[in-house]
Amino acid sequence: MTDLLLSTDAIETYLDATRDARLESYKAFLRIPSVSGIPAHAGDCRAAAEWLADAMRTAGLEHAEVSETSGHPVVYADWLHAEGAPTVIVYSHYDVQPVDPLDLWTSPPFEPVVVGNRMLARGAADDKGQVHLHVMAAAAVLATRGAFPVNLKYVFEGEEESSSVHLDGWLEANRDRLAADVAIISDSGFFDGNLPAITIGLRGMMYSQIDVVGTDVDLHSGQFGGAVQNPVNALAQIIAVLKGPDGRIRVPGFYDDVQTLTDADRADLAALPFDEDVYRTELGLPALVGEAGFTTLERRGARPTLDVNGIWGGFQGEGAKTIIPAHAHAKVSCRLVSAQDPARIFESFKAYVADVAPPGVTVTVQDLGGGFPSLTPTDHPATQAAARALEATFGRPPLYIREGGSIPVTASFETILGLPVVLLGFTPPDDHAHAPNESMDMDNYETGIRTVIRTWDELVAANAEPVRNW
Ligand SMILES: [Zn+2]
C-alpha cells in the first residue's frame, strides 16, 4: 500500500506536468475524421489507427500494431510483464459517427476546441476521449513506475459505429494472443447529474433497411395517379403498423425471448436518482411516450424498442413536382434485451414487413448488422475493483445502470473469448454522442485517467482471491 501511495504522488506530478501536451495530443487525435460508416473516410480511419498505434508506442506499450481486418483495422498493443497477475483486455473504439446535420454544430466537428470545461468535437466523448485517456493512463504509469501491476492487452476497434462487422472474425483469428482474465470496455458513461456509474446492462441491436420499389423511373402523377401503387405511401403504411398505439412492437414473436423484469430489477431501477419531469424538460418535449406499463428508465434500459432512423423517397426539392416516386426507403432499427437474438429478430421483422406490405410494389428488407444484448454481474471481483477505483477518484461509489445503447462487442468478448466484461466508461450523460456538438467533460477525462490507473491497482488487490475463480 505504501508503494502505491508514493507512486500515486509521482503519477500526479507527472500528470500535472504533462497536462498541456496531453490536451494537444487529444485534439490531434480528434482532428482525424475517422467516420467508419462513410466509405470516403476509409483513409481517415486508417490514419487514426496509425496515429493511435504511434501514441501507444510512445506511451511505452509493446507490440503496437495496426492489425488488418476486411474493413477498418483494429489497433492492438500490450504490456505483459506482470507475472502471476491478472491479464486485462481494454477495449474502446477510434471510429466516430457521421457529423450531419453540420449546420447545427457551433464549431466545425473536426476542429476540437475547449468551451468552458468541455472538449467539443465529434468523437470527443464517443469514443476517442476514452481511447485517449486509456493511452494517457498507460503513459503515466510507465513513465513513473516503469511497470503495470497487471498485464494489459489493448484492442481499439475502428468499426464500432458501423456494427463491428469484422470484429468477431478478428477476435476469433486472434483468440490465442487475446487470452485474458477480464475485459474492461470503456464506451459508456456516467448517470444523469454526471454521477459515476458502471453499466451492467446493454441493449443489443437489429438494423435493417426497407426498400419499396415501383417503376424504373418516377411517373407523372396526373397520367398514372390512382392506377398504380405509390411506393412512399406503401412505405408509410408499412411503418404505421410496426408499432401499436400502446407502444408495443407488432412483429410476431418479437417479445418471446424478453425476460420479465423481476420486482428486484424494477426496485433497482426505481431507486436511481432520476426525475422524469427534469428529463422531459431538458429534452424540450411536451410529453414522454413509450411502451404501456413501464417507467421511462425501464423503457430506455430494460425493454426492447423499434425506431425508424431515416426515411426517404420522391421529390424533396423546393416547390411542387407532380410525380409518383419510383421508390422509397427507410432505415429501421431495434434495440434488443435479454436473450433476443438479432438474426432471429431480423427474420421475424422481414417476414412481418412482407406480410403487411400493400400490393403493387416490390418490398425487400436488408440486414445492416446487429449485436447481442448483455448483462454483467455486479458482484464480480473486477466490477468491484472498478467500483472501488471510481469511488477513490471521483469521491462517491458508482451507480449500477442499464444503458439503452448497444455495444455489440460486449457479447463478443463474452461468447468468443469467454471473458467477464466490466463496462467502465467516463463520458458525461449530456455528451451529445452521435449528435451535433458532441463534447467531453474535461474533469471526467482527467479524473478518468486516475480511475483507470487505480483500477489496475485494485484488480491486483482483488486478485488476492485466485484469478481462476473469476
Ligand atoms: Zn461508442
Side-chain angles (χ1 to χ4, degrees), residues 93 126-127 160-161 187 407 434:
H93 61 92
D126 181 17
D127 192 29
E160 200 279 336
E161 303 293 9
D187 193 15
I407 308 176
H434 296 204

